[in-house]
Amino acid sequence: SSHFGSSEFWWKSRTAAMMVAMGTSSRRPKLKVGLLVSLGVVFILRCLHDVPSAVGFVTGPTSRKDRQTSTVARNGVDKALKERIVSVQKTGKLTDAMRLVAAAKVRRAQDGVIKSRPFSDELTSMIKGLVKKLKGSGLEAELPMLRVPEKVKSVAIVLFTGDRGLCGGYNSFNIKKAKFRIEALNKEGIKPKLIWVGKKGRLAQKTKLQGVDFEDTGKQFKMPDTITSTGANEIGEEVRSLFLSGEVDKVEVIYAKFVNLLTSESQIRSVLPLSATGIEDPEDETFKMTSEDGKLKVEKEKRKSPKAKEIESDVIFDQPPETILNSMLPLYLNSQLLSILFESSASELSARMNAMKAATDNAQEVAKALTSVYNKKRQAAITQEISEISVGALALEDASRPE
């Protein structure tokens, strides 16, 4: 019986050991699966952390980690400085393109002056012929646009400026000229009425035109990119209505007379009343833009005054000569205003050319200076790395020597 009891105990012990072994072997696959899943989760989180979170316009994908680091990147390269150099270079290209556009528009203004010249010459010749024929007949009394008042009590000023900036001192010079003229009229007890051509003049009322007394008529005309007779007619109708209605005794214009590509002069010119004897501009001249050795230049040519057209004594007029002349004078006024528009446009565009040329040169100088600083920083970083490598190599060499 004792032998049977010991055998039963041995059998139960073996059975329990086998069951424990079987349980352990069944848990091993579950443990492996758990470890694999954990490793996979860690890998995915690491990848998500390194995924680019922003895409730069110039530099391409950038990660969140890169954006949070210093502006000085690895390998001695100053990223912020590099971006600034690229920005300055792009600005230089933009200003150079604006200079070329202004040069093309100056040529367009030149073509407009040449095309409008024949009509202006023929009209001036005919008016002078009629004035010569009617000389001594009390012409001024019959034609309102030629009537000169005994005393000037009111004046209208047409101020020509640009609609945009970025043209150097073009607008400022014209506005200062207007201010000086208004101050002179105020001393004579005259409060002038102002008509604006271009936005910049009217915008200067509360800045550069402060301290002078004038009346804003509220009439503003756009300075067109393409000069046409329509714009000159609109300005002519406004100043003519002011003069003929008796609101003003004199009309003056302040504009920039084109001298050359580097210079323009702000001038004051009376357009009403017209003079029966000096109907033409004594300083009339034309300009022609050419290029020589890749550089733009302007050739100016003095224009001779058109001669009076000879009208035979036996010519029979369908209408009285005074009526014919009275209908021609508005056309002459419009042609003069058209010429002033061309002069103002050429002066503005040449000033913009010079301003953009100066901006382009400055951008190149700034880019050159920044590039020099960038290269010095890069050289210093490379020199430091080489020095550290050399020092490390010497230290290893000294450590390997036997004492």
Side-chain angles (χ1 to χ4, degrees):
S1 62
S2 60
H3 179 72
F4 176 77
S6 59
S7 299
E8 183 179 1
F9 176 75
W10 177 82
W11 177 258
K12 288 182 179 180
S13 300
R14 183 178 180 186
T15 303
M18 289 178 65
M19 290 179 67
V20 170
M22 289 176 65
T24 304
S25 62
S26 64
R27 285 198 301 269
R28 283 178 183 174
K30 295 181 181 179
L31 182 61
K32 292 179 180 179
V33 171
L35 289 173
L36 289 175
V37 170
S38 301
L39 290 173
V41 171
V42 171
F43 180 74
I44 291 172
L45 290 175
R46 182 62 181 271
C47 290
L48 288 175
H49 182 71
D50 293 334
V51 166
S53 59
V55 178
F57 181 72
V58 177
T59 58
T62 57
S63 65
R64 187 181 295 105
K65 183 178 178 181
D66 292 336
R67 287 187 296 159
Q68 293 174 352
T69 56
S70 172
T71 53
V72 180
R74 294 184 295 272
N75 300 328
V77 179
D78 193 338
K79 186 178 178 182
L81 186 59
K82 184 65 175 177
E83 290 177 352
R84 188 180 175 194
I85 293 171
V86 173
S87 176
V88 170
Q89 290 173 343
K90 288 182 178 179
T91 303
K93 291 179 181 179
L94 178 62
T95 54
D96 190 51
M98 293 176 69
R99 180 185 68 85
L100 296 176
V101 170
K105 289 184 177 180
V106 169
R107 291 183 183 273
R108 191 185 305 167
Q110 164 195 320
D111 294 339
V113 171
I114 295 173
K115 290 178 181 178
S116 64
R117 180 63 61 179
F119 172 77
S120 179
D121 288 346
E122 188 67 23
L123 181 63
T124 304
S125 177
M126 180 61 71
I127 292 175
K128 291 174 73 174
L130 289 172
V131 170
K132 183 179 179 181
K133 186 174 181 62
L134 298 173
K135 191 175 182 180
S137 61
L139 183 66
E140 291 81 357
E142 297 293 335
L143 301 174
M145 294 182 68
L146 299 178
R147 192 180 299 120
V148 180
E150 295 181 1
K151 184 180 180 181
V152 177
K153 298 180 181 179
S154 58
V155 177
I157 297 177
V158 184
L159 177 59
F160 285 81
T161 56
D163 283 339
R164 296 183 294 272
L166 299 177
C167 52
Y170 167 77
N171 293 315
S172 298
F173 292 151
N174 287 351
I175 293 170
K176 287 180 181 178
K177 191 75 171 179
K179 185 176 182 179
F180 293 150
R181 180 56 179 163
I182 294 171
E183 287 176 346
L185 292 173
N186 290 158
K187 290 178 181 179
E188 298 177 9
I190 299 174
K191 183 180 180 180
K193 301 176 185 291
L194 259 65
I195 300 172
W196 317 94
V197 180
K199 294 180 181 178
K200 290 298 181 179
R202 195 171 189 181
L203 291 175
Q205 288 185 83
K206 297 181 180 180
T207 53
K208 296 179 181 178
L209 291 179
Q210 275 188 335
V212 292
D213 190 16
F214 63 90
E215 179 183 344
D216 183 5
T217 60
K219 299 293 183 180
Q220 178 178 333
F221 300 92
K222 183 181 179 182
M223 186 65 189
D225 291 331
T226 304
I227 307 299
T228 60
S229 59
T230 304
N233 293 344
E234 292 175 356
I235 301 172
E237 288 177 3
E238 180 62 30
V239 299
R240 193 167 63 250
S241 65
L242 282 175
F243 182 78
L244 296 179
S245 64
E247 295 184 41
V248 296
D249 301 323
K250 188 178 181 182
V251 178
E252 298 176 348
V253 296
I254 297 177
Y255 70 105
K257 183 176 178 62
F258 182 79
V259 178
N260 52 47
L261 286 176
L262 298 175
T263 311
S264 60
E265 298 176 356
S266 296
Q267 290 192 348
I268 302 173
R269 179 174 169 182
S270 297
V271 293
L272 284 175
L274 296 172
S275 172
T277 53
I279 201 75
E280 74 284 345
D281 182 7
E283 296 183 358
D284 199 10
E285 58 187 3
T286 59
F287 64 93
K288 184 178 181 181
M289 188 172 177
T290 59
S291 58
E292 182 177 347
D293 297 332
K295 296 183 179 180
L296 298 174
K297 71 173 187 174
V298 171
E299 297 177 356
K300 304 198 75 174
E301 178 186 357
K302 289 283 185 181
R303 295 284 304 183
K304 292 183 179 180
S305 175
K307 295 182 179 180
K309 188 174 285 293
E310 293 293 334
I311 300 176
E312 302 294 335
S313 58
D314 57 348
V315 172
I316 300 174
F317 292 96
D318 182 55
Q319 295 178 346
E322 297 86 354
T323 305
I324 297 174
L325 188 58
N326 198 31
S327 63
M328 295 176 69
L329 288 177
L331 293 176
Y332 174 75
L333 174 64
N334 292 342
S335 69
Q336 294 302 301
L337 291 173
L338 182 64
S339 175
I340 291 172
L341 280 172
F342 278 122
E343 289 270 356
S344 299
S345 178
S347 299
E348 180 186 356
L349 293 169
S350 63
R352 183 167 286 112
M353 283 177 59
N354 294 327
M356 294 300 101
K357 179 66 168 61
T360 303
D361 294 341
N362 291 338
Q364 291 176 350
E365 291 178 5
V366 171
K368 186 177 179 181
L370 292 175
T371 303
S372 177
V373 173
Y374 176 82
N375 290 336
K376 286 180 180 179
K377 278 189 173 185
R378 185 168 173 270
Q379 262 185 340
I382 293 172
T383 304
Q384 182 180 356
E385 289 182 0
I386 293 174
S387 300
E388 291 174 354
I389 293 171
S390 300
V391 169
L394 289 174
L396 291 174
E397 185 178 351
D398 292 340
S400 62
R401 288 179 182 176
E403 295 183 358

